[in-house]
Amino acid sequence: MLNTLRRWPYFKFYPNDWLTSNTILLMTASQIGSYIMLLCRAWTEDDCTLPVDPATLITLSKWEGTIDEFAPVLACFPLLKNQKRRHYPRL
């Protein structure tokens, strides 16, 4: 799926959705930072996807905790049906 909005230097952000999301409310500040890093990284890709490998995502997101602590962030980027990339549904 080619991102037709790719030419834009920004993506839509909905503060009310963000501030009322249980997913976000249950994350630590470090997890939120990594989540935002991955959103931005996905946006820079033509198809708005991310690699599958958790170790690669940990590096891309600047995560410094354990892999278990990274699980809530990883859960926000499910695998595509072909399981070759991850995506964020709202991008």
Side-chain angles (χ1 to χ4, degrees):
M1 171 177 73
L2 183 60
N3 179 3
T4 58
L5 303 179
R6 179 65 175 91
R7 65 184 174 275
W8 293 357
Y10 60 89
F11 54 86
K12 291 181 181 181
F13 182 79
Y14 302 91
N16 191 55
D17 291 354
W18 177 264
L19 293 172
T20 60
S21 166
N22 285 336
T23 300
I24 300 304
L25 291 172
L26 295 172
M27 284 184 180
T28 65
S30 294
Q31 289 166 331
I32 290 169
S34 287
Y35 175 79
I36 290 290
M37 287 291 291
L38 291 178
L39 281 176
C40 293
R41 174 61 67 175
W43 183 250
T44 66
E45 297 293 327
D46 287 339
D47 60 358
C48 288
T49 66
L50 294 166
V52 172
D53 181 43
T56 301
L57 297 175
I58 284 170
T59 300
L60 292 174
S61 70
K62 308 299 185 198
W63 180 251
E64 294 180 351
T66 68
I67 193 155
D68 289 339
E69 294 167 329
F70 188 70
V73 178
L74 190 60
C76 293
F77 300 90
L79 292 170
L80 289 170
K81 289 183 182 181
N82 66 12
Q83 299 197 2
K84 293 183 179 181
R85 299 284 286 176
R86 292 183 180 274
H87 73 115
Y88 184 75
R90 291 186 82 169
L91 286 183

